[in-house]
Amino acid sequence: MFPDDIQTLARQVIEAAAARGLMIATAESCTGGLVASVLTAIAGSSAVFERGFVTYSNAAKTELLGVPAGLIEANGAVSEPVARAMAEGAITRSRSEISVSITGVAGPGGGTADKPVGLVHFGAVGPGGAIHAEHRFGDIGREEVRLASVRVALGLLLDRISA
């Protein structure tokens, strides 16, 4: 279902979290639950995967993750402040110590000059603190943007587990 490299990364995340006794939550927008899906496809994931939030709409980001509506209005859903708030919200609204968030423009439409197709913001939180990453994958196709985002998100989870 997922490319081999993504399955390998997911296995590494599950094994690393299990070795440290850490629980994981995901907060996904443009990936629509793909990170949660690949993590839960790994045998043993129930020991470390606590929950996943699919917050595609702005209202869902506010209602499920506690992202302030004013923050979304001021910065747009695809922004560093919203990605950070999503990751923090996943921690405060779960029983997890590690989280990752993804919000972006997967395309093919929806892009603007300021926020083009392929722009994705990530947030991640763990015992070592919170981080943000921005990637501009370009207009490489909706599925490719989503898969590239899954790769980055899994890498950020590994980073926060190890920090």
Side-chain angles (χ1 to χ4, degrees):
M1 179 172 168
F2 289 97
D4 290 346
D5 67 309
I6 289 177
Q7 292 180 54
T8 297
L9 275 171
R11 188 170 298 103
Q12 291 171 347
V13 168
I14 296 300
E15 290 171 357
R20 291 165 182 79
L22 299 172
M23 297 297 286
I24 299 167
T26 59
E28 301 180 66
S29 187
C30 67
T31 49
L34 288 176
V35 177
S37 179
V38 72
L39 288 172
T40 58
I42 305 298
S45 60
S46 60
V48 298
F49 187 80
E50 207 274 327
R51 71 183 70 180
F53 299 91
V54 177
T55 56
Y56 210 69
S57 71
N58 291 345
K61 289 173 182 64
T62 297
E63 293 166 13
L64 295 176
L65 296 172
V67 177
L71 188 71
I72 297 171
E73 290 169 18
N75 300 282
V78 180
S79 64
E80 177 178 347
V82 170
R84 287 182 178 275
M86 288 171 65
E88 293 285 352
I91 293 290
T92 60
R93 298 192 175 201
S94 72
R95 292 175 176 87
S96 301
E97 298 86 17
I98 305 285
S99 73
V100 69
S101 68
I102 305 108
T103 181
V105 184
T112 65
D114 290 342
K115 297 182 181 183
V117 170
L119 172 64
V120 183
H121 284 272
F122 302 84
V125 176
I131 58 173
H132 164 263
E134 175 185 316
H135 286 265
R136 293 176 180 261
F137 299 112
D139 193 355
I140 58 174
R142 182 175 185 80
E143 198 57 27
E144 289 307 312
V145 169
R146 288 164 42 103
L147 288 174
S149 296
V150 169
R151 288 179 180 97
V152 170
L154 293 171
L156 290 172
L157 284 171
L158 277 174
D159 175 85
R160 292 297 82 194
I161 291 167
S162 302

